[in-house]
Structure formats: C-alpha cells, structure tokens
Amino acid sequence: MRRSLPVIFIESGENTMSKTQVVTLRMPLELKGRMEKAAKQQGVSLNSLANYMLTTQLSQLEFFSRMEQRLALKTIPDLKQEVGAILDTVPERDKVPEWDKL
C-alpha cells in the first residue's frame, strides 16, 4: 500500500490584488510535523515559517552561485594578490595578543 504525502497550502497576502500565489506542496509527514512544531515555537504561522525558510535558502543558493561564477573568472595568483592587498590594510598586526595568533 502506497502511503501518500501530506499536502500543505502555502499562501501569502490578504487579497487577490497582492502579488502572491497559492502553492500546493507535498512533503513527508515527519517534515510537516517538524515545521509545525518550529512554527509554534517561533510563534508564527506555518505559512510564515515556510516563506522565511524558502526565502533564506534560496538567497543562500543564489549567493553561492554568484560567488562560483565570479571565482571561475579568477586565477589562484589573482586571488592570492587580492587577499594579500586586503591583509595589508589591517592595522597594527604586531599588537595581536599571543593567544589570538595563528
């Protein structure tokens, strides 16, 4: 017997004029339960938590994608030179406490 996944509806906005859309999302029961628990602990709706989590994860993926694209255009010597230039701007390197030195 095949076990079906729960369906949750993620909806944002208060009226039909808003720039939101209803999305049906299928997920494992365990994940839905965990999300409901987390939403309750945070004092927010499941919808708000899901939107927050999706937004932060997507932003992170987009950031890493942009960084990979930028790094693909650089050579190792170029990167070393840039890091060296940044480190050269750090003032008073001699006054780093002994416990904080590498």
Side-chain angles (χ1 to χ4, degrees), residues 5-97:
L5 298 175
V7 177
I8 64 169
F9 295 96
I10 300 174
E11 184 175 7
S12 298
E14 298 176 5
N15 60 46
T16 57
M17 300 302 288
S18 67
K19 295 183 179 183
T20 61
Q21 186 174 13
V22 175
V23 176
T24 302
L25 178 65
R26 299 184 196 289
M27 66 176 60
L29 285 170
E30 180 200 354
L31 179 57
K32 182 175 182 274
R34 289 170 57 202
M35 287 188 65
E36 289 171 334
K37 182 179 177 182
K40 185 175 181 178
Q41 289 173 341
Q42 295 296 316
V44 298
S45 68
L46 179 59
N47 178 72
S48 293
L49 180 66
N51 275 298
Y52 171 77
M53 294 175 114
L54 290 169
T55 300
T56 55
Q57 280 299 140
L58 184 56
S59 295
Q60 191 176 60
L61 288 172
E62 291 168 342
F63 169 78
F64 284 120
S65 178
R66 284 192 308 272
M67 290 304 295
E68 286 175 350
Q69 290 171 358
R70 289 178 65 189
L71 287 172
L73 302 174
K74 302 278 185 175
T75 64
I76 297 294
D78 288 342
L79 292 171
K80 286 182 177 180
Q81 183 178 0
E82 288 181 29
V83 170
I86 292 168
L87 291 176
D88 288 343
T89 65
V90 176
E92 304 179 33
R93 284 201 221 160
D94 301 348
K95 296 187 179 180
V96 175

